[in-house]
Amino acid sequence: MTGVGCLNNLLSKCRIRHFVACVLSMLLFTGCTQRELCYDHSHSANVRIEFDWSEAPDADPATMVVYFFPVDNSQCMRVELSSDGSGTRSCFNSEIKVPEGVYYVVCHNGNTENNVENGKTFSEYNITTYDDKLLAPLNRSDNAPRPEETDGQPVRAQASRLYTYTTPEPVLLEPNDGEPTVIVMKPCRKSTVINVRIENVSNMVAGMEYCAVISGLAESWYPCTGMPGGRNVIVPLLLTPDGPNSLKGSAEVFGDNAPHDILHRFRLYTSVKYYYDFDVTEQIHSAPDPYNINITLSGVTLPDNSDGMGVSVNDWGQSEDVDIQM
């Protein structure tokens, strides 16, 4: 082939390659344009989430989670807003885009130690915790005896502090090009703190360890009802000495399931494998503030350790029911 022929052939190939490149560029450009049109949120609403902390002035959340639950139970939208480290909660106020629709809007603090999100629709969504052991506060896995009549109650970890809010009515979100739709969330604490004090404890000695459990507590918190729910569960708590003859401890829980007709049993465990039972039903049910419950117990005689009995005891000592001195 002559040099001219080779040159013409080369030019023809270059033209073909140039043509193909142009077509591919046009297709690529068209594809990007279509995605951009889909991404312009023409069927979305501009929403501004604002938080009113007047009901939780001491709250210091790491993150705030906002759920948009469609009223038709279709796929929900979850947004997690993180702290900017400034120490001010105004950083959680944010503008987002939400597909048009009618939603129940729920917020709660996130990134907690124990709380677990569960469920995908508004009616089933709840905050719960993980499975635990009766003697978890003592870091022991002994097969400790359960409180009586609690065989159907799983042992669950304490709750982390829960701040939550649910809009009282569904919110209609429509496409808007101007000012965003403002949704004001007013979180308040919904987890219950149970403070326990046991007085007149005899034979307390250095090195002895104590924990307890409370039965009949709620497994979860349900934003759809604004109430505790789920199964009745047993929650462990650590007890520590508070003077020469008293113990104290606290548990954060999701509250007490309605109707409030279940027995709440308190069982004190010791590291020398003796346990003591109390009925704390009345103190829980009659508490003036259901989110802050104080339980006072009295009159526990621990085994006399003068004979050297310690944590090497193999079997648990006989249960003792203690009458509460009110």
Side-chain angles (χ1 to χ4, degrees):
M1 182 179 293
T2 65
V4 174
C6 290
L7 180 60
N8 289 334
N9 189 29
L10 180 60
L11 290 173
S12 296
K13 291 180 179 179
C14 288
R15 291 190 186 97
I16 292 172
R17 290 173 180 167
H18 179 70
F19 174 76
V20 171
C22 289
V23 172
L24 290 175
S25 297
M26 292 176 65
L27 290 174
L28 181 62
F29 178 77
T30 302
C32 289
T33 301
Q34 288 176 341
R35 286 195 293 271
E36 184 63 30
L37 286 174
C38 290
Y39 193 67
D40 69 357
H41 302 286
S42 58
H43 299 290
S44 297
N46 296 314
V47 176
R48 178 168 177 79
I49 300 294
E50 295 185 353
F51 291 91
D52 176 354
W53 296 98
S54 58
E55 297 295 321
D58 298 326
D60 185 23
T63 67
M64 288 302 297
V65 175
V66 182
Y67 270 96
F68 293 84
F69 291 103
V71 296
D72 62 2
N73 285 332
S74 56
Q75 184 175 0
C76 63
M77 176 177 170
R78 180 185 188 276
V79 179
E80 184 158 3
L81 308 172
S82 298
S83 171
D84 60 3
S86 65
T88 60
R89 295 170 297 185
S90 60
C91 65
F92 295 118
N93 298 339
S94 303
E95 291 192 15
I96 58 177
K97 289 186 178 293
V98 181
E100 64 177 324
V102 182
Y103 298 91
Y104 297 103
V105 186
V106 174
C107 79
H108 60 79
N109 56 313
N111 193 26
T112 60
E113 182 177 357
N114 291 354
N115 291 350
V116 178
E117 301 172 30
N118 183 42
K120 295 299 183 182
T121 64
F122 182 60
S123 60
E124 69 179 13
Y125 184 76
N126 63 88
I127 309 297
T128 188
T129 61
Y130 54 84
D131 291 333
D132 213 347
K133 302 290 186 182
L134 291 172
L135 302 185
L138 301 183
N139 295 315
R140 299 186 181 207
S141 57
D142 299 88
N143 187 24
R146 298 169 57 93
E148 294 181 4
E149 301 179 8
T150 62
D151 289 343
Q153 298 185 24
V155 181
R156 303 302 290 267
Q158 290 190 35
S160 296
R161 183 63 52 93
L162 176 64
Y163 298 101
T164 183
Y165 178 79
T166 302
T167 53
E169 300 292 338
V171 178
L172 172 63
L173 297 179
E174 298 177 304
N176 50 353
D177 296 327
E179 291 296 318
T181 300
V182 177
I183 301 177
V184 179
M185 312 299 287
K186 301 178 180 179
C188 60
R189 177 167 68 86
K190 291 300 183 180
S191 51
T192 292
V193 176
I194 301 179
N195 295 306
V196 179
R197 181 175 177 81
I198 307 176
E199 301 173 342
N200 299 317
V201 182
S202 303
N203 298 328
M204 289 177 57
V205 294
M208 189 180 295
E209 297 176 300
Y210 317 87
C211 71
V213 297
I214 303 174
S215 71
L217 298 171
E219 179 181 28
S220 310
W221 176 267
Y222 280 80
C224 65
T225 62
M227 297 289 292
R231 297 171 294 179
N232 293 310
V233 299
I234 298 171
V235 177
L237 64 149
L238 179 67
L239 296 172
T240 57
D242 185 35
N245 61 352
S246 61
L247 298 168
K248 67 176 182 179
S250 66
E252 192 129 3
V253 301
F254 293 118
D256 180 24
N257 280 327
H260 305 287
D261 56 2
I262 192 170
L263 292 177
H264 297 286
R265 303 182 185 278
F266 181 96
R267 177 163 285 186
L268 163 65
Y269 297 98
T270 72
S271 59
V272 294
K273 292 192 173 182
Y274 270 73
Y275 60 91
Y276 304 82
D277 288 333
F278 297 84
D279 183 345
V280 295
T281 305
E282 181 61 26
Q283 294 198 60
I284 290 179
H285 289 175
S286 63
D289 182 353
Y291 297 109
N292 297 280
I293 299 174
N294 296 313
I295 293 176
T296 302
L297 308 172
S298 181
V300 173
T301 301
L302 299 174
D304 185 354
N305 276 344
S306 60
D307 59 359
M309 182 174 58
V311 296
S312 61
V313 175
N314 293 321
D315 298 322
W316 284 89
Q318 184 177 1
S319 171
E320 177 182 337
D321 290 318
V322 181
D323 293 330
I324 302 175
Q325 304 296 323
M326 298 297 294

